[in-house]
Each structure stands twice: as structure tokens, then as C-alpha cells.
Amino acid sequence: MKDLHLQALKDMIASKWENILEQPQALQFANSLMGKDRRVYALYLTQVYHYAFHTARNQALVAVNPNNTDIHYMQFCLEHALEETGHELMALHDLRSMGVVINDPEKDMPPALPPTQLLIAYLYRIATHGNPVQRLGYRFWAETSYDHIRGFMDKLSTSMQLDKKQMTFFYSHSSIDDKHAKDVEKILLHICKTEEDWEAVTRSAIITLDLTHQILKAVIDEYEKLVRDKPSDFSILHSLRPVFEKNQV
Amino acid sequence: MKDLHLQALKDMIASKWENILEQPQALQFANSLMGKDRRVYALYLTQVYHYAFHTARNQALVAVNPNNTDIHYMQFCLEHALEETGHELMALHDLRSMGVVINDPEKDMPPALPPTQLLIAYLYRIATHGNPVQRLGYRFWAETSYDHIRGFMDKLSTSMQLDKKQMTFFYSHSSIDDKHAKDVEKILLHICKTEEDWEAVTRSAIITLDLTHQILKAVIDEYEKLVRDKPSDFSILHSLRPVFEKNQV
Amino acid sequence: MKDLHLQALKDMIASKWENILEQPQALQFANSLMGKDRRVYALYLTQVYHYAFHTARNQALVAVNPNNTDIHYMQFCLEHALEETGHELMALHDLRSMGVVINDPEKDMPPALPPTQLLIAYLYRIATHGNPVQRLGYRFWAETSYDHIRGFMDKLSTSMQLDKKQMTFFYSHSSIDDKHAKDVEKILLHICKTEEDWEAVTRSAIITLDLTHQILKAVIDEYEKLVRDKPSDFSILHSLRPVFEKNQV
Amino acid sequence: MKDLHLQALKDMIASKWENILEQPQALQFANSLMGKDRRVYALYLTQVYHYAFHTARNQALVAVNPNNTDIHYMQFCLEHALEETGHELMALHDLRSMGVVINDPEKDMPPALPPTQLLIAYLYRIATHGNPVQRLGYRFWAETSYDHIRGFMDKLSTSMQLDKKQMTFFYSHSSIDDKHAKDVEKILLHICKTEEDWEAVTRSAIITLDLTHQILKAVIDEYEKLVRDKPSDFSILHSLRPVFEKNQV
């Protein structure tokens, strides 16, 4: 019974990723100029910085949720929070490593885009209120999605000529992933006891995956503003403008 | 200077509403069968119930936000919270008045749709963290939008043959509106002192207006599921199925 | 049945006050030099400033407590929070009116003493967690205690030669009291439905009255430090040193 | 400079413990009947259960305190929270191991006494508001106090004929202590950068040590009620009434 729920969750996630990666923009990505332009990647990293800043924090709050009375789940939440603490600094490192000048992140980091803000707000809400299993919906797909996106990220690193030290956030999360994926599966099977639990997990997985998709789309929208030299909160990234574009101008 | 900011905010809101009401779905609305089908309206009321349940609560939290140190603004927040307390019961009343059977709202009320959940989560987040002026962005358009939507709602009430006691939520909020609109304008001009304040207000106004648009679209998606007899969390509303559809079946 | 509980609560409060006012220190008060020394009163006002700063805030939080689902009680909490907003400024006014120089309260106001800190912490805790009736235990005695302490305060104002504008916090709270006392009695009878409710109210009344007693004792301890010229966080109050003491020195 | 502050903190703690253990009640303890009566110890364990339930939770909240921006301190907080998770179950185990029948702790566990409630409330308050170093004041003395109380606890275990499995809470915390004491000293020296930081730590150490003393006194007061067969919330502990007392009756 539990295995059926777990499989349905996995299928939903696979199908969502398939859909995201089949969007025209994603398909054209690697072949277009955009696929060679590090500003897109840098834009995305600014958003990673913002949500990663809150990951450990809202994960820790699940342990404190008054509805969370399962010692194992509390420990699981605190362990994960501990591991994720400070990971926003990897995104900051990757940005700096590409040459983006960010002295004081609090002042210099471009802002969180609307869907990033909504993801952060939603994770705090489900961490502190309602069924504490909900946040596992986010974590489950986040830990098990590297298989889906690895191919895309590899192509990206080639076309953008990124080296490892500009992708520490991505690779550090992708490598610790195999162990984590097993752990999160185990706790899911332990903690989800009712239909309502599985529904809550599935609902929050869908909402947060959709928000992630919206973050990607918002990143591309902001990128287009940069290309067209429109007013932008991300003009700090112009330093990464690729040679071919400069030549065009 | 302040007047310029205020005017820009008003223009943005007007333009957003114009855009929402010019969507094909909105234009066809009154003339289509959907425009005669109370289930769409009932669906919307279930979402009103959910966010209205939280309005007074997150409004009160702005008064407690540690960054809120302005006595007048604190009073303004508490006064508004006081006025909004229990307004979810109007949406419940309107649903019951149409004949929807909801004995215990906690069990029987259909769930909040994803954009409704995001609106609720976002309002709690901006109420408790960051610049306390942010929530005024939501409140300002919410109090000043009746001019934009009154025409639409009047058509709706005619085509769906709704009487006043089925629209108490809408009419009670629209009538107290003139005074409120002035009050919220006054406090906005009082509390917004910097460019950052106006930007924060504008940003949260945009995000919450967009979420409201998404709630409307999600309501129509759910409506289509009902019409096509697909599995739905809102099957309780089938009791409102109109005669013309029953005849067709 | 409810009347019995209410009477028991009133008797407990009366007996606590009798006990407090019969302590040797209290009895000697008006006749001793301390009874003529405004520094004691000023010391107390600094503590009033601290807890009054939080009164409206923790009162508002009771309306947001997820266990509070009674619309009338929510409204009651918000109304009271609204009335209490900014009342710390009365204590500040009274201090300044006596001649204490406090330019920026955040920097210049002497700190909250330990029992004051505990009162504040406890009120936030019971406002946000557990049975939301608990905070009424505090409010009930706070609103109904003026009869018990009026005599003492009148003597104090005479012996310290305080005029009305140096006692605005006390007199404004004591005058609105008659209406409030009735209101709080009414809501108590409305909201307390079980033995557990009455026990919760009684328990929090006892704890907060005892803390208030401890605040009074801590104030006198600090006063003695001032008299003996020991190092003190309250040395700002030395400007109120009475003539007779100066003469002695 | 930092070493001076640290030493002053240690001296204060040593002196507080000396004072506590020199109280008449403590001195007579081991030699009196009370020193042979496990009900006193069981009473204390009920209070340990209550505050230990919240230790991991309020410790985790320090990591989420918006004023906590030090990655190392965040990690320290989460690690400690992880270690402390579920430790209330040790107190429960020890109570059951002595023969106290507690089926469902939520229903059967006697209540938290007033100073225990204040300790819990205060720790939540300083965890979530103000200077995040504050909670170290509590943790520092809690981790470094076993030297002060070990002698007393050893005498107690002899006179009450307690074996190890009835003292798991005490011994498990006392044994992991040496490592912890070093860790907490290290983080204190790392995180306290200003005079204000050291003052904040010292203040919260004093307040929480004093509350602990008050818990001990409240436990003895409740014990006396049990001995005198007065109405008590702790009558469940009568099953531990010692033979000598039964003989007397």
C-alpha cells in the first residue's frame, strides 16, 4: 500500500520533470546563444542563494512544529537542517568564482524573484503549521531529481564552459544525493501512516515543483531583459556578458 | 513625490485588473453557460472562505512584527484585523444560502487550491518578517478594487440569478470600502518614507494581485473538471448543477 | 457553577493583594524615607515601560493562537490590544515629567529586571501556545485590582508629592477600569466552559500576580542599591535623589 | 579579556551552586526522612520531563533566530538540538523504572510547576528574540554543573537506594558532559564579541539558575503536601510512599 503511494509520487515527479525539460525554451536551450551565456546560470544562482538561505531554517522548524511528535522524524529534520546550514554560501561562491562582484551579499545580491519568494514563504508555512509530513514532499523531489536533471546540467556546463568550482552548489548536492534519497524514502515510509499523509506530501511536492518551474521561467524572463538592456535588478550580472554578444553590439 | 508613488501604484492596479478582465475566459464569461452556472461562483467562495479565515490573523501579526514600531500603523493593523475577524463566515453563509450543505466547515469545506495556499503563506510571511509596510500592498489593492470589478460582479449576479443574501461577502466588503480606501491611502502616505518602502509595497501588491488572478484561473480549471464529471475535491458543489446541464445529460 | 469559579478567582486575587500589601516593606512604606523618595516610583515606572511595551503585542497574539476559534474572544483580544497600543509611552511620559532625562528609550531606558523579563516571556508563551483562555487570568486581575491598590497609590502620591501628570499610566488605567472589569468578567463567563479552562485561568492569574509581587520586591532591592550608591543599571534615576538625602550626605 | 569574562561566569555559577547546596533544606536532605523518600526524586523527574520536552525545540529555534547569522553557531545549535531530542523519554523511563504508572504522558504526567513553566517560557523567548547568544548562558551552566552536584546526587542515589536504570537522565547527561563542556566553552569564546554579549550570557545564566533553584524549592513544597496528604496534582506518586512512612500511619 505504502509502496503504491511512493511509486505514484515518483511517477508524478518524473512526469513533471519530463514536462519541464520538454518546454520549447528548455529544448532550444543548449543550442541557442542563451545556452552559451553564463548570465542565465548566474541569474539562477542568485535565486538558489535566496532559497538556500532559508532551507536549513525552515527544515529545522519542522522539528519544532507542535504537531511533530515523532522523535525519529524530529531527528531527521534536525540532521538535514544541520547538513544544509550555510549552503547559500556555495551559490555565493559559484557566483564569485565566475567573476560576479558581490562584496556584501545583504546589499549586493540581486533580489528574490516572485516565485522564489513564494517558495520561501510556502516552505515556512508548511514547516510551522499543519501536518509536519508536508515538507517531505519538497524534500523528496529535491533529493531524487538529480537523475532527471543531470543530463541537462552536464550539457549546460559544457556549453557554458563552466568548471567544477563554478558548480559547487549543484555537484555537492548531487553527490550526497544517493544516500539522502534512500534516507528520505525510509522516513517517508515511516512517517506517512494515512491517506491524508500521502495526499499532503503529494500536494506539497506538486506545489513546490511547480514553483521551481516558475523560478526557471522567471529567470529566463529576467535574462531577456538583460539581453535587451532593459532596466533590471540584475544588472550586476552584465559583467558576464559573453564575447559574441559584445561583438554584435 | 509621495503622490507620484501612489499614482503609480494605482495605475499598476488598474492595468492589472484591465488585463485580468480582458482575458478571453473573463470576456466570454457572462455570455457562456459558465456565466449562468452557480458552481463557478460557489467554487470561488470556497477559496474566499480559506483566505478570509486568515485575513484578520495575518493582519494582526503585522502589529506584532518587531520591525513595526509606528504606533499609528500598529493601531491601523489592529483596527483592520478587528473588522475582518470572522468574515470567512460570510463566505460560508453565502455558500449555505445557495444550498451547499456544509455542516462542519473544518471537515466539509473543499480544500484551498494551490494559489490560495500560496496567497495565505505569502501574507503570513510578509506580515511577520521584513518591512512591515509590505502587507499594505495587498490591502491597498484589495480595498480599492471594487470600482474595477463591480461591473463584472453585477453582470454575474444577474446572469446567475444571485440575490443579496448570497453575496454578503462581496457586498459587505464593497460598501465599507469608500471609507477604507481613504484610510489605507492615508496610512500609506504616512508610513512609506523611503523609495524602498514604496518598492516593497508595490512588489507585494503585484505578487498578491497575480496570485488572485491565478486563484480565478484555478477556480475555472476546477469548474471544468466538475462539468466533465472528473474526480474532484469540489464534488459537494454538484448540488448546484444548473437545470440546463441536467437536461443535457 | 461558573459564578462559583468566578468568585473563587476574585477571592484568590483579593487574598494575594492583601498579602502583598501586608508585607513589612509595604506597611512601612508610606512612613519611611523610601515613601518620600520618587526614585522608587521611577524605578517601578521603568519596569512598567518594559512590560507595557509588550502588552498590546502579546494580547494581539492571543487572537492569532491557532487554538482560539471563538470569534467573540478574537474580537475581545484585538479590541484590548488596540486600546493598549502605545501605553508604554505613558510610563515614559511620567518618567520624563518627573525630570528623568530619556532621549531615546531604546538606549536610555534602564533594563527590565529578571521578574519583568519572566512576566514578558510568560505572557508571550501563554498567548501563543496552549489554551488561549490562559491570558485572561492575567488580564482579569490586572483590570480588577485597582480597588485593592488605590488606597496605597493615593498615599504614595501624597507622600511623594506626585501630581496627576506624573501618574498618567496609573490613572488612565484605573479610570477606564470599571467598564473593562465588566467586559473581562463577561468574556470569562462566555469562554470558560470546562473545569480545565477555569484551572488554566486561575493558574496563570497566580503566576502573573506572583511575578508582579516579585517585580515590586526587585524594584525595592534596586532602590536599596541606589541609596547605598552601589553600581546600578538605574543610576539615571539619581537625578531624583530627594533633598533630605542630599542633606544627609 | 575573553578569559576574564569566562572566569567570572564560572565563578558566578560555582557561587550560585554553593549557595543552593548550603540551604538548610539541602544540608538536612540526606540525613532526613526526605532523603530516603523517592517521591522527592520522582517529583523532580516530572519537572525534568517537562523542561526536557522543550530543550531540543527551543535550542533548535536559536538556529532560526533572525539575529543569528553565524554559521558555526547555527550548526552548534542544531547539533545540540539533535542530541537532546527525545531526552524527556529518559525522565519518563526513570519514573516508570521506579514503578510510577504513566501510560500516556500527555494525560498522566503531573503538571509543570510555576517555576518550570517560567523556565520553559523564558527559554523560548530568548531563543527566538534578542541576542541569540543569550541561550548559551543557560547551556553553559547546565553543561558545567555536574562537578557541583555530583556529590549530592551520589549521596541521594545511596540514601534512596536508586540504581542506574532509575537515573538514566542524570547519568547520561553527566557522562557526555566533559566533551560538551569544552564545546560550549569554545563556542562561547567564538560568539561573544562585545561586552553586551557577555552581559547577555551572564544575565540569562543567572535567571535560569535562579529558576532551577526555584524548581527545587517548589518540588520540596509539593513533597510536603504529599507527606501531609493534602490535595495534590502529584498524587500519582503516592505509590512510591516509603515503608517507614506507611508504618507510621
Side-chain angles (χ1 to χ4, degrees), chain C residues 54 117-118 121-122 124-125, chain D residues 54 117-118 121 124-125 207:
Chain C
H54 295 284
Q117 288 187 45
L118 292 178
Y122 178 73
Y124 274 109
R125 182 77 192 155
Chain D
H54 296 284
Q117 289 186 46
L118 292 177
Y124 274 108
R125 183 76 193 156
I207 289 180

Side-chain angles (χ1 to χ4, degrees), chain A residues 54 114 117-118 121-122 124-125 207 211, chain B residues 54 114 117-118 121-122 124-125 207 211:
Chain A
H54 296 284
Q117 289 187 47
L118 292 178
Y122 178 73
Y124 275 109
R125 182 76 192 154
I207 289 179
L211 284 171
Chain B
H54 296 284
Q117 288 186 46
L118 292 177
Y122 179 74
Y124 274 108
R125 182 76 193 155
I207 288 180
L211 284 172

Side-chain angles (χ1 to χ4, degrees), chain D residues 2 6 72-73 76 136 140 179-192 198:
Chain D
K2 286 193 163 191
L6 187 65
H72 291 301
Y73 187 38
F76 177 85
L136 282 175
F140 184 72
K179 184 190 170 303
H180 278 180
K182 290 230 164 50
D183 287 351
V184 73
E185 206 170 301
K186 213 170 131 191
I187 197 80
L188 249 187
L189 293 170
H190 165 74
I191 204 81
C192 285
W198 284 101

Side-chain angles (χ1 to χ4, degrees), chain D residues 23-154:
Chain D
Q23 300 285 313
Q25 283 179 315
L27 288 173
Q28 299 175 343
F29 203 85
N31 303 318
S32 71
L33 290 182
M34 181 165 64
K36 297 187 168 49
D37 192 337
R38 290 174 164 199
R39 287 178 297 183
V40 199
Y41 177 61
L43 259 158
Y44 182 63
L45 282 177
T46 63
Q47 303 308 297
V48 169
Y49 177 85
H50 283 293
Y51 70 71
F53 182 89
H54 296 284
T55 301
R57 289 170 166 89
N58 59 54
Q59 176 65 85
L61 286 169
V62 183
V64 187
N65 183 326
N67 300 318
N68 187 357
T69 54
D70 185 292
I71 303 283
H72 291 301
Y73 187 38
M74 281 183 68
Q75 289 168 329
F76 177 85
C77 294
L78 292 169
E79 255 170 45
H80 184 238
L82 186 55
E83 281 172 7
E84 294 287 320
T85 301
H87 280 197
E88 69 275 18
L89 298 183
M90 291 188 193
L92 178 61
H93 165 275
D94 292 356
L95 281 164
R96 284 173 170 162
S97 172
M98 283 191 286
V100 181
V101 179
I102 296 170
N103 294 315
D104 177 357
E106 232 177 292
K107 281 187 219 151
D108 304 336
M109 183 65 71
L113 291 166
T116 311
Q117 289 186 46
L118 292 177
L119 178 62
I120 293 165
Y122 178 73
L123 290 175
Y124 274 108
R125 183 76 193 156
I126 62 172
T128 51
H129 290 79
N131 191 335
V133 306
Q134 284 178 99
R135 201 180 172 290
L136 282 175
Y138 172 59
R139 186 154 173 215
F140 184 72
W141 74 255
E143 303 267 0
T144 59
S145 288
Y146 290 94
D147 285 349
H148 302 297
I149 59 171
R150 195 170 284 127
F152 182 81
M153 290 304 285
D154 286 345

Side-chain angles (χ1 to χ4, degrees), chain C residues 16-213:
Chain C
K16 285 259 173 201
W17 274 117
E18 202 176 338
N19 174 265
I20 293 173
L21 296 170
E22 272 177 6
Q23 300 284 316
Q25 284 180 314
L27 288 174
Q28 300 175 345
F29 202 84
N31 303 318
S32 71
L33 290 183
M34 182 165 63
K36 295 186 168 48
D37 192 338
R38 289 173 166 201
R39 287 178 297 182
V40 200
Y41 177 60
L43 259 158
Y44 181 64
L45 282 177
T46 63
Q47 302 308 297
V48 169
Y49 177 84
H50 283 293
Y51 72 70
F53 182 89
H54 295 284
T55 301
R57 290 170 165 89
N58 60 54
Q59 176 65 86
L61 286 169
V62 183
V64 187
N65 183 329
N67 301 317
N68 188 356
T69 53
D70 186 291
I71 303 282
H72 291 301
Y73 186 37
M74 282 183 68
Q75 288 167 329
F76 178 86
C77 294
L78 292 168
E79 254 169 48
H80 183 238
L82 187 55
E83 281 172 7
E84 295 286 319
T85 300
H87 280 198
E88 68 275 19
L89 299 182
M90 291 189 193
L92 178 62
H93 166 274
D94 293 355
L95 281 163
R96 285 173 169 162
S97 172
M98 284 190 287
V100 181
V101 179
I102 297 171
N103 294 316
D104 177 356
E106 233 177 293
K107 283 188 217 149
D108 304 336
M109 183 64 70
L113 292 165
T116 312
Q117 288 187 45
L118 292 178
L119 179 62
I120 293 165
Y122 178 73
L123 289 175
Y124 274 109
R125 182 77 192 155
I126 62 171
T128 51
H129 289 79
N131 191 336
V133 305
Q134 285 178 99
R135 200 179 174 292
L136 281 175
Y138 173 59
R139 186 154 173 215
F140 185 72
W141 76 253
E143 302 269 1
T144 59
S145 288
Y146 290 93
D147 285 349
H148 302 297
I149 60 173
R150 196 169 282 126
F152 182 82
M153 290 302 287
D154 286 345
K155 261 192 250 171
L156 191 94
S157 80
T158 307
S159 69
M160 291 189 181
Q161 299 181 282
L162 297 165
D163 58 36
K164 292 255 161 177
K165 76 174 192 294
Q166 291 155 344
M167 301 184 85
T168 59
F169 184 86
F170 178 73
Y171 282 114
S172 81
H173 284 84
S174 110
S175 66
I176 46 176
D177 205 48
D178 288 340
K179 185 190 168 305
H180 277 181
K182 289 232 165 48
D183 287 350
V184 74
E185 205 169 302
K186 211 170 134 194
I187 197 81
L188 249 187
L189 293 170
H190 164 73
I191 204 80
C192 286
K193 296 190 167 68
T194 64
E195 289 290 310
E196 284 71 35
D197 289 339
W198 284 101
E199 276 164 28
V201 164
T202 306
R203 216 159 33 226
S204 59
I206 291 174
I207 289 180
T208 52
L209 250 166
D210 285 347
L211 283 171
T212 301
H213 189 185

Side-chain angles (χ1 to χ4, degrees), chain B residues 173-186:
Chain B
H173 284 84
S174 108
S175 66
I176 47 176
D177 205 48
D178 288 340
K179 183 190 170 305
H180 278 181
K182 290 232 163 51
D183 287 350
V184 74
E185 206 170 300
K186 213 170 132 192

